[in-house]
């Protein structure tokens, strides 16, 4: 990333994707949008942990860092957070083959292929911008179970940072060259999993999903998937085709890659993403194990 571009973005007030601490402005967002205060957080964690420990069927981690993700995702409503955790439990238990033997080498190969990328700057609302390019996924070399497992690991890897729990994620999903062979990997077996993950099973605040370069094969897959989604989730999914100007209505042009009509040139963050996954992968697998 060119130094001049980085300086210009910082001068405009755009914040980096790498934020280990929580800036004051995002603490304010947490108070206003989630109702989060020190007292609310402490009380909710105690209540949430007790509800989990009282449930003999629910075996999962109970450390604060893990539980806070579910509470923030449901604005500190303990009942709803417990429902989300149960949904997450049931989703993982329904598809044990996804995590029984994750191939770390294949996961690293996938993250190094530019299938996933975290853009360097956040939008004006503090949202992290994640891109996913389907044309870079070779389904003959990397099976769909590795793709789904890697996607889940990346989302949880990014969600361990409080700022992402509070401000959420926007996804640019590039369906260019999405093939019938790729679609058959999902349809019909894993389409319900995708729907449940989007609907109410992950402690991720998906603020919006922007599909670009979609063609007829993807449109067919969407015609089935949308039947499984709630109106609320469908309203957060936008289709732009090749109309990059329309994408800029939702995400500032300054932080969008040039291939989508933005100002960001030749940015590929796979080294950072791979290192983050390396740090988090063992914990991710540890967090998954209690569900089986």
């Amino acid at each position: 990333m060119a130094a001049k571009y980085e300086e210009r973005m910082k001068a405009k007030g755009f914040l980096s994707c790498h934020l280990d601490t929580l800036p004051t402005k995002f603490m304010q967002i947490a108070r206003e949008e989630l109702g989060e205060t020190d007292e609310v957080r402490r009380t909710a964690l105690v209540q949430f942990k007790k509800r989990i420990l009282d449930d003999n069927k629910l075996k999962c981690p109970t450390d604060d860092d893990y539980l806070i993700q579910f509470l923030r995702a449901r604005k500190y409503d303990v009942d709803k957070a417990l429902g989300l955790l149960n949904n997450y439990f049931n989703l993982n238990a329904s598809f044990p083959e996804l995590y029984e033997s994750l191939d770390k080498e294949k996961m690293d190969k996938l993250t190094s292929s530019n299938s996933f990328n975290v853009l360097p700057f956040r939008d004006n609302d503090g949202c992290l911008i994640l891109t996913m390019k389907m044309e870079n996924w070779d389904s003959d070399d990397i099976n769909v179970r590795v793709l789904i497992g890697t996607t889940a690991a990346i989302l949880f890897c990014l969600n361990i940072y409080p700022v992402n729990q509070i401000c959420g994620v926007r996804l640019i999903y590039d369906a260019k060259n999405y093939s019938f062979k790729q679609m058959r990997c999902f349809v019909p077996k894993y389409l319900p999993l995708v729907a449940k993950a989007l609907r109410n099973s992950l402690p991720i605040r998906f603020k919006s999903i922007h599909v670009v370069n979609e063609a007829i094969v993807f449109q067919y897959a969407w015609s089935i998937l949308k039947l499984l989604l709630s109106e609320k989730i469908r309203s957060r999914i936008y289709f732009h085709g090749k109309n990059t100007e329309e994408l800029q209505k939702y995400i500032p042009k300054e932080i969008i890659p040039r291939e989508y009509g933005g100002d960001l040139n030749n940015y590929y963050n796979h080294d950072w993403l791979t290192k983050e996954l390396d740090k988090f992968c063992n914990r991710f697998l540890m967090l998954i194990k209690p569900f089986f």
Side-chain angles (χ1 to χ4, degrees), residues 223-242:
S223 70
I224 303 172
L225 177 61
K226 69 179 181 181
L227 300 176
L228 306 176
L229 300 176
S230 67
E231 177 58 34
K232 181 178 180 180
I233 296 301
R234 289 199 300 270
S235 70
R236 294 181 180 178
I237 301 176
Y238 303 87
F239 296 87
H240 305 291
K242 298 183 184 300

Short mmCIF file of all heavy atoms in Angstrom, two decimals, residues 223-242:
data_model
loop_
_atom_site.label_atom_id
_atom_site.label_comp_id
_atom_site.label_asym_id
_atom_site.label_seq_id
_atom_site.Cartn_x
_atom_site.Cartn_y
_atom_site.Cartn_z
N SER A 223 -31.76 -17.63 -5.97
CA SER A 223 -33.22 -17.83 -6.03
C SER A 223 -33.66 -18.90 -5.04
O SER A 223 -34.81 -18.88 -4.56
CB SER A 223 -33.65 -18.22 -7.46
OG SER A 223 -33.20 -19.53 -7.79
N ILE A 224 -32.76 -19.83 -4.71
CA ILE A 224 -33.07 -20.86 -3.71
C ILE A 224 -32.73 -20.36 -2.31
O ILE A 224 -33.53 -20.49 -1.38
CB ILE A 224 -32.27 -22.15 -4.01
CG1 ILE A 224 -32.58 -22.66 -5.42
CG2 ILE A 224 -32.60 -23.23 -2.97
CD1 ILE A 224 -31.70 -23.80 -5.86
N LEU A 225 -31.54 -19.76 -2.17
CA LEU A 225 -31.09 -19.31 -0.85
C LEU A 225 -32.03 -18.29 -0.23
O LEU A 225 -32.32 -18.34 0.97
CB LEU A 225 -29.68 -18.73 -0.96
CG LEU A 225 -29.07 -18.14 0.32
CD1 LEU A 225 -28.95 -19.21 1.40
CD2 LEU A 225 -27.72 -17.51 0.03
N LYS A 226 -32.54 -17.37 -1.04
CA LYS A 226 -33.36 -16.28 -0.48
C LYS A 226 -34.64 -16.79 0.16
O LYS A 226 -35.20 -16.14 1.06
CB LYS A 226 -33.68 -15.25 -1.56
CG LYS A 226 -34.63 -15.72 -2.64
CD LYS A 226 -34.89 -14.61 -3.66
CE LYS A 226 -35.86 -15.03 -4.74
NZ LYS A 226 -36.09 -13.94 -5.72
N LEU A 227 -35.10 -17.97 -0.26
CA LEU A 227 -36.31 -18.55 0.33
C LEU A 227 -36.07 -18.98 1.77
O LEU A 227 -37.02 -19.12 2.56
CB LEU A 227 -36.76 -19.76 -0.49
CG LEU A 227 -37.11 -19.50 -1.96
CD1 LEU A 227 -37.45 -20.81 -2.67
CD2 LEU A 227 -38.27 -18.52 -2.08
N LEU A 228 -34.79 -19.17 2.14
CA LEU A 228 -34.44 -19.64 3.47
C LEU A 228 -34.06 -18.51 4.42
O LEU A 228 -33.78 -18.75 5.60
CB LEU A 228 -33.27 -20.63 3.38
CG LEU A 228 -33.45 -21.83 2.43
CD1 LEU A 228 -32.17 -22.66 2.37
CD2 LEU A 228 -34.63 -22.70 2.87
N LEU A 229 -34.05 -17.28 3.91
CA LEU A 229 -33.62 -16.13 4.71
C LEU A 229 -34.80 -15.29 5.17
O LEU A 229 -35.84 -15.23 4.49
CB LEU A 229 -32.66 -15.26 3.89
CG LEU A 229 -31.36 -15.92 3.41
CD1 LEU A 229 -30.58 -14.95 2.54
CD2 LEU A 229 -30.51 -16.37 4.58
N SER A 230 -34.61 -14.62 6.29
CA SER A 230 -35.64 -13.71 6.78
C SER A 230 -35.62 -12.43 5.96
O SER A 230 -34.63 -12.12 5.27
CB SER A 230 -35.39 -13.37 8.25
OG SER A 230 -34.18 -12.62 8.38
N GLU A 231 -36.70 -11.67 6.02
CA GLU A 231 -36.77 -10.40 5.31
C GLU A 231 -35.69 -9.45 5.79
O GLU A 231 -35.10 -8.69 5.00
CB GLU A 231 -38.15 -9.78 5.50
CG GLU A 231 -38.31 -8.41 4.86
CD GLU A 231 -38.04 -8.41 3.36
OE1 GLU A 231 -38.36 -9.41 2.70
OE2 GLU A 231 -37.48 -7.40 2.86
N LYS A 232 -35.40 -9.47 7.09
CA LYS A 232 -34.37 -8.60 7.65
C LYS A 232 -33.01 -8.87 7.03
O LYS A 232 -32.28 -7.93 6.66
CB LYS A 232 -34.30 -8.80 9.17
CG LYS A 232 -33.27 -7.92 9.86
CD LYS A 232 -33.29 -8.15 11.36
CE LYS A 232 -32.25 -7.27 12.06
NZ LYS A 232 -32.27 -7.50 13.54
N ILE A 233 -32.65 -10.14 6.88
CA ILE A 233 -31.36 -10.48 6.27
C ILE A 233 -31.37 -10.16 4.79
O ILE A 233 -30.39 -9.61 4.25
CB ILE A 233 -31.04 -11.97 6.50
CG1 ILE A 233 -30.89 -12.26 7.99
CG2 ILE A 233 -29.75 -12.36 5.76
CD1 ILE A 233 -29.80 -11.46 8.68
N ARG A 234 -32.46 -10.47 4.09
CA ARG A 234 -32.52 -10.18 2.65
C ARG A 234 -32.36 -8.69 2.39
O ARG A 234 -31.76 -8.29 1.39
CB ARG A 234 -33.85 -10.67 2.06
CG ARG A 234 -33.97 -12.18 1.97
CD ARG A 234 -35.05 -12.59 0.97
NE ARG A 234 -36.36 -12.07 1.34
CZ ARG A 234 -37.24 -12.70 2.10
NH1 ARG A 234 -36.95 -13.89 2.61
NH2 ARG A 234 -38.42 -12.16 2.37
N SER A 235 -32.86 -7.86 3.31
CA SER A 235 -32.78 -6.41 3.12
C SER A 235 -31.35 -5.88 3.26
O SER A 235 -31.08 -4.74 2.89
CB SER A 235 -33.70 -5.70 4.12
OG SER A 235 -33.20 -5.80 5.44
N ARG A 236 -30.46 -6.69 3.82
CA ARG A 236 -29.07 -6.27 3.99
C ARG A 236 -28.15 -6.79 2.88
O ARG A 236 -26.94 -6.59 2.93
CB ARG A 236 -28.55 -6.75 5.35
CG ARG A 236 -29.23 -6.09 6.52
CD ARG A 236 -28.68 -6.58 7.85
NE ARG A 236 -29.35 -5.95 8.98
CZ ARG A 236 -29.10 -6.21 10.25
NH1 ARG A 236 -28.16 -7.10 10.56
NH2 ARG A 236 -29.76 -5.60 11.21
N ILE A 237 -28.73 -7.48 1.92
CA ILE A 237 -27.95 -8.03 0.81
C ILE A 237 -28.27 -7.25 -0.45
O ILE A 237 -29.43 -7.14 -0.85
CB ILE A 237 -28.25 -9.53 0.62
CG1 ILE A 237 -27.93 -10.30 1.90
CG2 ILE A 237 -27.43 -10.10 -0.54
CD1 ILE A 237 -28.28 -11.78 1.86
N TYR A 238 -27.22 -6.69 -1.07
CA TYR A 238 -27.39 -5.82 -2.23
C TYR A 238 -26.67 -6.44 -3.44
O TYR A 238 -25.59 -7.01 -3.30
CB TYR A 238 -26.81 -4.44 -1.95
CG TYR A 238 -27.41 -3.75 -0.75
CD1 TYR A 238 -26.89 -3.97 0.53
CD2 TYR A 238 -28.49 -2.90 -0.87
CE1 TYR A 238 -27.44 -3.36 1.65
CE2 TYR A 238 -29.04 -2.27 0.23
CZ TYR A 238 -28.52 -2.51 1.49
OH TYR A 238 -29.06 -1.90 2.60
N PHE A 239 -27.28 -6.27 -4.61
CA PHE A 239 -26.71 -6.82 -5.84
C PHE A 239 -26.35 -5.66 -6.76
O PHE A 239 -27.21 -4.84 -7.11
CB PHE A 239 -27.72 -7.77 -6.50
CG PHE A 239 -28.02 -8.98 -5.67
CD1 PHE A 239 -29.03 -8.95 -4.70
CD2 PHE A 239 -27.28 -10.14 -5.80
CE1 PHE A 239 -29.29 -10.04 -3.90
CE2 PHE A 239 -27.54 -11.25 -5.01
CZ PHE A 239 -28.54 -11.20 -4.06
N HIS A 240 -25.10 -5.62 -7.16
CA HIS A 240 -24.60 -4.48 -7.94
C HIS A 240 -24.16 -4.84 -9.35
O HIS A 240 -23.94 -3.94 -10.16
CB HIS A 240 -23.42 -3.83 -7.21
CG HIS A 240 -23.72 -3.42 -5.81
ND1 HIS A 240 -24.58 -2.37 -5.50
CD2 HIS A 240 -23.30 -3.90 -4.61
CE1 HIS A 240 -24.66 -2.23 -4.19
NE2 HIS A 240 -23.90 -3.15 -3.63
N GLY A 241 -24.04 -6.13 -9.65
CA GLY A 241 -23.55 -6.52 -10.97
C GLY A 241 -22.20 -5.89 -11.24
O GLY A 241 -21.28 -6.00 -10.43
N LYS A 242 -22.10 -5.18 -12.35
CA LYS A 242 -20.85 -4.48 -12.68
C LYS A 242 -20.96 -2.98 -12.41
O LYS A 242 -20.09 -2.20 -12.82
CB LYS A 242 -20.50 -4.73 -14.15
CG LYS A 242 -20.25 -6.20 -14.48
CD LYS A 242 -19.83 -6.39 -15.91
CE LYS A 242 -19.68 -7.87 -16.25
NZ LYS A 242 -18.67 -8.55 -15.41
#
